[in-house]
Amino acid sequence: MMKSKFRIEGMTCEACKRHVYEAVIHVNGVNNCNVNLLTNTMIVEYDNNYCSENEIEDAVLKKGYKAYLYTEKKNSDNSKDNSLLILIISTVLLLFLVYFSMGHMMWGFPTFKCFDMEENPMGFALVQFIIVLPILYLNRNYFISGFTKLFKGTPNMDSLIAIGATASILYGIYSLFMISLGYNEYHMYLYFESAGMILVFVSLGKFLEKLSKRKTTEAVSKMMDLAPKKAIIEKDDKEIEVNAIDVLINDIVIVKKGDKIPVDGYVVFGNGSVDQSNITGESIPVYKKKDDEVYSSTILTSGYLKIKTTKAYEDSTIANIIRLVDEASNSKAPISKLADKISKIFIPLILGIALITFIANYIYIRITSFMDMNAFETALNFAITVIVIACPCALGLATPVAIMVGTGKGASNKILIKDATILEKAHLIKTVVFDKTGTITEGKPKVTDFIKFEDIDLESIVYSIENKSEHPLANSLVTYTENKKKNVFDIKDFKQIEGLGLEGKINEDRYFIGNIKYFDDKIDNDLINKLYSEGKIVLVVSKNNNIIGIIGIKDEIKDNSKEAIKLLKNESIKVVMLTGDNKITASKIGKEVGVDEVISEVLPEDKANIIRSLKTDDKHLVAMVGDGVNDALALTVSDLGIGLGCGSDVAIESSDIVLLRNDLLDVYNAISLSNRVLRTIKIGLFWAFFYNFICVFLATGILFYLTKGSFKMEPMYGAIAMSISSVSVILNALTINLFKVKTNKEKIIKNECEDNKMENKMIINVDGMMCKHCTSHVENECMKIDGVVSAYASLEEKNVTIILSKDVSRDIFVQAIKSIGYEAK
């Protein structure tokens, strides 16, 4: 199965989007198709054994649009955009047109006799016709697109505009001929200014709409700007600059101070501080040394690094983020189905209403002689207004614009929403299930108790066995025993028992390290209960089924876990903690963080079954939050899977939402943002339906007769109303940008340092910094002082954060900063 992205030319409204979708989805071999009106792109999933990219492009071309591979000609649309110039010229011409058509009559403007409607009605009509011609030419695309689609049986918004403007022009030309035959009263029935106003006001609306659309795609655009374009690779002891996209796996990339890291990889030489706030959300640069992982698009603020590339450019962290956000903005929420159904019949329905309006008004005026009005002219006026005032764009834009802004807002706050369908699930979430280790807790357990029952080299035994495992607890045990071991034993028959522990032979003795529940009858319960009551994980070490030691391990709770759980509970959401820990240990941690229910002693394969059991009905959905490989199935089974960015690739792939900051407050933020987006979509759809219903009703002329001629909706007012409706829907969606995420202001972000000697951190308040140059001066001055590993000055916080490898007096830094003209304390 292939997935390709196409650029689409010629789409102007929701009807266009539907025509492109239907053309492609019916191509044999196409599995799925998402068309984005905002970005004029299309993503197609298809089986290349049955269809090709050329067949997809041909299918779109037959409907009157143009499609081409995004990667082939993504820069082909760089031709100058003349829409603003055309709008300005058209507006100036329209002002002249209005001056001659209505200026003297409505505002008493002076006029020439040759253009006076009473003294020379032919001159009055001709000058309007001459002025409207360049307006028609400048805006000819409405007619080309509208009539092309109409004759192909796929009418769109342009078709309505083209029909309305053409009807006005044709009736104006008819009136012009009638004046030439001596029927001077026809100077009252010229519609040239209406045609001009329709085109200019619609163009104004489209221009404002385009500006608003650019605003909605800002988040993805900013991310694309973050992606580095160039890289310096080391080849044959030479530095060679290449395009970042050409860097291969295992290439050595050189990064110097101030450069963006172009690839994902790990450090093989050098050290330095890396600003990775755009990926992890950390506000302070993180110290990187040999073997540390680095991410593409992050910035080396100080130091020098050589990085071995581990991922191709298209698979890098920033590329994946951009792809996820782009695909989410292209996806469709189920709530949009109603709008899609209506858009299919909208334009034929409007044309039908316009025809009925014309016939009904014509017959009524002919029969009643209402106010002695011209029946044909009045009926045509109302029919044109119906055509012009209807706005399928408002219906079509309500959902995709809100999704685009919402997913962009989430991405800018390190919350990746993968698909629009989850937006409707979020408000139905009634239960959130948290995995404990690495989710509620730090996932970096430390050994606190190491108790021996026999006088043996237990440290060496534990190290030798645990060193063969990649489990987080194994890493903790290896770290603890690494400097305490005396030997490294050869392990035979090594076995990892899922959910229980590790087993292996040393010489002829069989050792087991793991879960204690199978040894309850051989253990001192008081000792075990004491460790449990302290919230610790308890492991036992056995030799030939005889217990020879007990190990206590503690995993600290994350800073924001309690606050996040409290916020969820305040929203009447039940919070459940899922863990494989002993019941006593789990209860202790669950009580500490304030969850509603604790489910303990759960094996990895049982997690999915527990998630299923928590589901009660379609309106009581369950979200799962996890980070490990063993959470992947549970994340998939849940109604809403939320994965942590620090977790395994499998867990992230299985998730609907990815939290890059690894902050549990973002679980609450993700659900709140989804609710906000859904609420905005509903408001937009309500407005679109309400607008079309009310305005089409007003345009039919019913109120004109009920008010005895005092209320009449003219075509030019219809054009204005139609433009306002589209822009208002987009502006409504942009209010999502006002959404504020919850953050823990007291949270201290810790830096990774080379060793314990580098754990010294000093923060000095600095006044007088005004720009990036100022921060650079302060950082450089601090870096000159012996013992400084890195320095990072913040304009927002008005301070400089310094990482030290040894003790340095604060006064030295204060004096150094003052010496370059800033106040420090």
Side-chain angles (χ1 to χ4, degrees), residues 766-767 777-778 780-782 784-785 811-824:
V766 181
D767 289 329
H777 291 323
V778 172
N780 291 336
E781 194 64 26
C782 291
K784 292 177 183 178
I785 298 169
D811 290 339
I812 294 175
F813 291 105
V814 171
Q815 292 304 319
I817 295 169
K818 285 183 176 179
S819 71
I820 57 174
Y822 302 97
E823 287 297 319

Side-chain angles (χ1 to χ4, degrees), residues 271-444:
N271 57 66
S273 295
V274 176
D275 178 0
Q276 50 189 39
S277 56
N278 62 315
I279 298 293
T280 64
E282 295 168 285
S283 60
I284 297 175
V286 177
Y287 182 78
K288 298 289 184 180
K289 59 186 186 303
K290 188 177 179 182
D291 295 330
D292 283 345
E293 188 176 15
V294 293
Y295 308 106
S296 58
S297 80
T298 56
I299 301 170
L300 182 64
T301 58
S302 65
Y304 175 89
L305 300 176
K306 287 186 180 181
I307 299 163
K308 189 168 186 177
T309 307
T310 56
K311 291 182 180 178
Y313 182 85
E314 60 270 20
D315 297 322
S316 65
T317 303
I318 191 68
N320 280 328
I321 292 172
I322 292 169
R323 184 166 59 251
L324 283 173
V325 175
D326 192 32
E327 288 179 359
S329 64
N330 275 279
S331 61
K332 297 176 73 172
I335 195 172
S336 63
K337 289 180 181 177
L338 178 60
D340 288 345
K341 289 178 181 177
I342 292 176
S343 69
K344 286 183 180 180
I345 60 169
F346 187 87
I347 291 175
L349 179 66
I350 291 300
L351 292 175
I353 292 173
L355 180 62
I356 293 170
T357 298
F358 176 82
I359 295 170
N361 278 279
Y362 182 80
I363 293 173
Y364 181 78
I365 293 173
R366 291 283 292 181
I367 293 174
T368 63
S369 299
F370 185 79
M371 297 178 64
D372 296 325
M373 300 187 73
N374 183 306
F376 184 83
E377 184 271 337
T378 305
L380 181 64
N381 179 291
F382 288 128
I384 293 172
T385 305
V386 168
I387 290 172
V388 173
I389 206 169
C391 186
C393 291
L395 278 172
L397 289 170
T399 300
V401 176
I403 290 170
M404 175 71 79
V405 178
T407 52
K409 180 66 176 178
S412 64
N413 286 284
K414 315 305 177 212
I415 301 169
L416 296 187
I417 300 171
K418 289 187 178 181
D419 195 281
T421 57
I422 69 171
L423 295 171
E424 287 194 55
K425 293 180 181 178
H427 79 289
L428 296 174
I429 294 295
K430 301 300 180 186
T431 302
V432 174
V433 180
F434 287 98
D435 175 55
K436 181 187 76 72
T437 305
T439 304
I440 289 178
T441 63
E442 292 286 355
K444 298 177 181 177

Side-chain angles (χ1 to χ4, degrees), residues 565-675:
I565 290 167
K566 182 180 178 182
L567 287 169
L568 290 170
K569 291 173 71 174
N570 288 344
E571 297 295 321
S572 301
I573 294 174
K574 181 182 178 182
V575 181
V576 178
M577 186 180 82
L578 206 59
T579 178
D581 287 351
N582 176 277
K583 188 175 182 179
I584 301 172
T585 302
S587 298
K588 166 74 175 175
I589 295 172
K591 186 177 181 181
E592 190 174 343
V593 296
V595 298
D596 295 303
E597 184 181 352
V598 176
I599 303 176
S600 57
E601 300 181 356
V602 178
L603 295 176
E605 59 267 26
D606 295 330
K607 288 184 178 182
N609 292 329
I610 290 170
I611 296 295
R612 290 189 185 100
S613 69
L614 291 171
K615 295 182 181 181
T616 55
D617 56 63
D618 292 338
K619 292 186 178 180
H620 186 124
L621 304 186
V622 177
M624 171 71 190
V625 185
D627 70 325
V629 174
N630 59 4
D631 297 323
L633 182 57
L635 287 166
T636 304
V637 168
S638 65
D639 297 302
L640 180 65
I642 302 176
L644 301 187
C646 66
S648 68
D649 290 342
V650 177
I652 293 172
E653 286 297 321
S654 304
S655 305
D656 299 306
I657 296 175
V658 180
L659 310 180
L660 293 178
R661 281 195 297 218
N662 306 315
D663 189 338
L664 288 198
L665 278 176
D666 283 341
V667 175
Y668 171 80
N669 289 329
I671 293 174
S672 298
L673 177 61
S674 298
N675 287 335

Side-chain angles (χ1 to χ4, degrees), residues 178-193:
M178 294 302 290
I179 292 171
S180 69
L181 294 173
Y183 297 95
N184 291 344
E185 67 272 17
Y186 272 88
H187 74 265
M188 298 295 295
Y189 306 132
L190 297 171
Y191 272 89
F192 297 130
E193 83 282 354

Side-chain angles (χ1 to χ4, degrees), residues 17 35 40 49 69 198 217 227 254 276 290 328 336 358 405 477 527 573 607 611 642 719 736 745 755:
K17 174 182 169 180
V35 184
N40 291 314
N49 293 319
L69 270 181
I198 289 170
T217 57
I254 294 173
Q276 50 189 39
K290 188 177 179 182
S336 63
F358 176 82
V405 178
L477 291 168
L527 176 59
I573 294 174
K607 288 184 178 182
I611 296 295
I642 302 176
I736 295 171
K745 294 179 182 178
D755 54 33

